[in-house]
């Protein structure tokens, strides 16, 4: 028995914005000055993890120890500085239409991102006017455990005041899919990056679709089926 969908929880990078090529570039190029290395592919595999968590993985591998808080901040600042020199990422094709459809259908729109970018709401408001509300946003500032831990998505459900069975997640990355699946939420993976579909399926995606347009069609049908 399928219960009606009351909210759609959206990841941001690689779903709402075509920002992953910039993130992968910044990660892979900013690490070398610290004696760390990360390939672009690895950046995609780690997408969704907090900056601190990602840096710790590299520190363990290359330094044989954890990074201190001070090191994490310095390294993340270098990555962010490089990221900020890159051309601003455009909204993902189809994202605006999809959000409009969800809004018209009367469903809540919740943001669940690991990003700790300041002025996130202003940025979203600029590109997707009237779609996002501060009370319905989970960001890198809110969570203790980043994806793949279910905490960010559980917090998203809590903010929306709904059960897992009443939500759908739109994600693009393996760790994000893992987090949403672990939170017990039906998960649409939109494969906007270079990884094979199988990785997203193995991470727990209920369906893997090629783009936001396909996701909009899928969601619209699901809304109708469960009304
Ligand atoms: Ca993402």
């Amino acid at each position: 028995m399928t219960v009606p969908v009351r909210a759609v929880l959206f990841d941001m990078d690689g779903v709402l914005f075509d920002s992953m090529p910039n993130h992968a570039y910044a990660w892979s190029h900013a690490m070398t000055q610290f004696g760390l290395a990360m390939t672009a592919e690895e950046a995609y595999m780690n997408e969704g993890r907090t900056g601190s968590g990602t840096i710790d993985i590299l520190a363990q591998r290359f330094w044989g120890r954890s990074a201190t808080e001070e090191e994490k901040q310095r390294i993340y600042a270098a990555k962010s500085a490089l990221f900020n020199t890159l051309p601003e990422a455009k909204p993902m094709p189809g994202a605006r239409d999809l959000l409009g459809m969800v809004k018209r259908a009367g469903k809540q729109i919740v943001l669940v991102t690991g990003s700790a970018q300041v002025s996130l709401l202003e940025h979203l408001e600029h590109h997707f006017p009237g779609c996002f509300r501060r009370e319905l946003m989970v960001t890198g500032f809110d969570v203790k455990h980043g994806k793949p831990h279910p905490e960010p998505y559980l917090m998203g459900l809590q903010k929306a005041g709904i059960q897992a069975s009443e939500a759908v997640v739109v994600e693009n990355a393996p760790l994000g899919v893992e987090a949403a699946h672990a939170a017990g939420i039906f998960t649409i993976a939109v494969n906007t990056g270079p990884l094979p579909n199988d990785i997203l399926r193995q991470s727990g995606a209920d369906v893997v679709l090629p783009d936001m347009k396909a996701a909009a069609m899928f969601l619209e049908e699901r809304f109708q089926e469960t009304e």
Side-chain angles (χ1 to χ4, degrees):
M1 185 68 194
T2 320
V3 300
V5 176
R6 292 176 60 199
V8 183
L9 281 57
F10 291 91
D11 169 53
M12 185 173 73
D13 290 301
V15 169
L16 299 176
F17 293 101
D18 192 10
S19 43
M20 275 315 294
N22 284 358
H23 282 292
Y25 180 93
W27 276 116
S28 59
H29 286 76
M31 294 303 106
T32 49
Q33 60 186 294
F34 302 103
L36 304 171
M38 185 179 223
T39 63
E41 201 210 0
E42 199 181 358
Y44 279 99
M45 287 301 294
N46 280 282
E47 181 188 345
R49 209 184 283 287
T50 60
S52 156
T54 304
I55 290 161
D56 231 3
I57 288 173
L58 297 177
Q60 291 290 354
R61 187 187 313 154
F62 291 96
W63 301 344
R65 63 170 176 85
S66 286
T68 64
E69 281 310 311
E70 192 273 331
E71 286 168 335
K72 284 180 189 170
Q73 280 179 17
R74 197 150 41 90
I75 294 168
Y76 192 66
K79 182 259 169 179
S80 300
L82 179 54
F83 179 82
N84 289 334
T85 66
L86 301 172
E88 198 195 359
K90 293 194 168 45
M92 190 63 79
R96 214 169 279 159
D97 290 346
L98 191 161
L99 288 169
M101 185 279 290
V102 172
K103 209 180 156 193
R104 280 193 303 278
K107 316 297 181 188
Q108 297 191 83
I109 294 174
V110 183
L111 182 79
V112 180
T113 179
S115 173
Q117 192 186 320
V118 285
S119 71
L120 201 59
L121 185 61
E122 289 72 13
H123 187 58
L124 287 164
E125 190 56 31
H126 176 71
H127 291 285
F128 309 110
C131 290
F132 292 91
R133 288 160 50 199
R134 191 175 299 280
E135 317 84 83
L136 294 179
M137 285 171 54
V138 179
T139 74
F141 294 113
D142 298 309
V143 296
K144 182 141 45 112
H145 311 283
K147 300 167 186 178
H149 195 283
E151 183 193 16
Y153 279 107
L154 292 173
M155 198 177 276
L157 292 175
Q158 200 182 9
K159 289 196 177 197
I162 58 168
Q163 304 293 316
S165 57
E166 299 172 303
V168 174
V169 164
V170 184
E171 257 290 351
N172 73 305
L175 297 181
V177 168
E178 208 178 310
H181 181 73
I185 309 171
F186 185 94
T187 306
I188 299 173
V190 181
N191 195 359
T192 59
L195 302 176
N197 284 345
D198 269 352
I199 292 187
L200 294 165
R201 281 194 203 98
Q202 285 156 16
S203 301
D206 292 280
V207 56
V208 181
L209 299 170
D211 53 33
M212 292 296 270
K213 197 174 172 190
M217 285 167 65
F218 183 91
L219 266 176
E220 200 162 18
E221 260 178 47
R222 194 168 165 95
F223 292 165
Q224 284 161 4
E225 276 165 19
T226 59
E227 242 145 42

